[in-house]
Amino acid sequence: MSTPRTPSVWLSKTAVNGALVLAAGYMFFPLVWLLTAATKDAGGLLAGNAFSFEGFDLGGNLTRLADYNDGVYFHWYLNSLLYAGFGALACSLISVAAGYAFDKYAFPGKEKLFGVVLLGVLVPTTALALPMYLLASEVGLVNTYGAVLLPVLVNPFGVYLARVFSAGHIPDEALEAARIDGAGELRIFWSIGLPMVMPGFVTVFLFQFTAIWNNFFLPLVMLSDQKLFPLSLGLYSWNSNAHAEPDFYPLVVTGSLLAVVPLVVAFVSLQRHWKAGLTAGSVK
């Protein structure tokens, strides 16, 4: 016979659920504000009634966003998709390959080299922006797509994470069986190793995609041509002008709302790979 729940249990559940509700409200509050503020014109935003749907004009804001300066916003959007999509994909592949090599191969100085990689995790990316600018200026990459793409291909934390996933998901017996069958090392990695660590690949991809999509300081240092701007830098330039020209406020808010969409789509569409990774070792 089950024992009745004590008041302390109910109090504990209430406290935990209350904390979760507060945390969820704290995280969703800016998004709710963004959803409602994107329906306002400049007058509605400056009047301070952003949380109401009075004067709903989302369609007009989207039209003005598309028409302003020959649709430069969507050019920035494509630039961000290029930087974040290609950069995160290439970075994830490099990180997984490096983590796989650190885990499965023995070579002189492996652990010391991996220690250097871990030291890279401790260095903030903003501290590297100026040295990378000086290097890019030496080779003529400043104010090009490569100035933003090349630095984001390296992710020390991604290498560390990939090594952990490789150690936990790729059995050495499977690799030895493939070598006995005559498969080369590149074929083994591509056909056996990479599919087994796909949850780790997706994790690194999402982390890097989010970091590149929100990246601001590196493009600010590297780029001066407006046509190369990502969304973060383009919206910043508009927001800087909004103090003198309030008509920029609806453009900035509506543009920020659309900028959230790729992140939501990426996390929702790729979450099943995380679930697969969490349950991979639970059954045989």
Side-chain angles (χ1 to χ4, degrees), residues 67-275:
D67 293 340
Y68 182 80
N69 199 7
D70 296 326
V72 68
Y73 173 82
F74 290 101
H75 190 80
W76 295 339
Y77 212 98
L78 292 176
N79 288 342
S80 288
L81 288 175
L82 172 65
Y83 294 139
F86 178 79
L89 187 64
C91 174
S92 301
L93 186 59
I94 293 172
S95 297
V96 170
Y100 172 87
F102 275 118
D103 176 48
K104 299 304 178 186
Y105 297 124
F107 51 88
K110 181 178 78 170
E111 296 304 328
K112 293 181 180 179
L113 182 59
F114 188 69
V116 174
V117 173
L118 293 181
L119 286 177
V121 179
L122 304 178
V123 180
T125 55
T126 52
L128 299 176
L130 184 57
M132 285 190 291
Y133 171 79
L134 296 176
L135 290 174
S137 64
E138 287 292 328
V139 297
L141 282 178
V142 174
N143 215 32
T144 66
Y145 285 106
V148 178
L149 280 173
L150 288 179
V152 301
L153 298 181
V154 179
N155 184 359
F157 179 72
V159 176
Y160 164 75
L161 198 62
R163 183 177 184 179
V164 172
F165 269 93
S166 177
H169 288 73
I170 305 178
D172 295 334
E173 294 80 4
L175 305 184
E176 290 298 329
R179 293 189 182 102
I180 292 174
D181 289 339
E185 295 300 324
L186 185 60
R187 174 67 181 276
I188 292 173
F189 168 73
W190 191 259
S191 299
I192 298 176
L194 185 58
M196 286 184 173
V197 294
M198 189 53 65
F201 180 90
V202 172
T203 301
V204 176
F205 176 85
L206 287 175
F207 281 152
Q208 192 69 355
F209 184 89
T210 304
I212 300 172
W213 188 266
N214 295 325
N215 196 6
F216 170 76
F217 193 65
L218 180 65
L220 178 66
V221 172
M222 293 291 189
L223 304 177
S224 59
D225 187 355
Q226 192 179 70
K227 293 182 179 179
L228 302 177
F229 282 6
L231 277 178
S232 57
L233 190 54
L235 291 174
Y236 169 78
S237 66
W238 280 358
N239 189 60
S240 300
N241 296 328
H243 300 288
E245 300 181 46
D247 287 338
F248 275 105
Y249 280 120
L251 298 180
V252 173
V253 174
T254 308
S256 300
L257 177 63
L258 294 182
V260 177
V261 174
L263 298 177
V264 175
V265 171
F267 274 87
V268 171
S269 60
L270 296 176
Q271 65 177 340
R272 62 185 182 89
H273 293 284
W274 278 346
K275 293 179 181 178

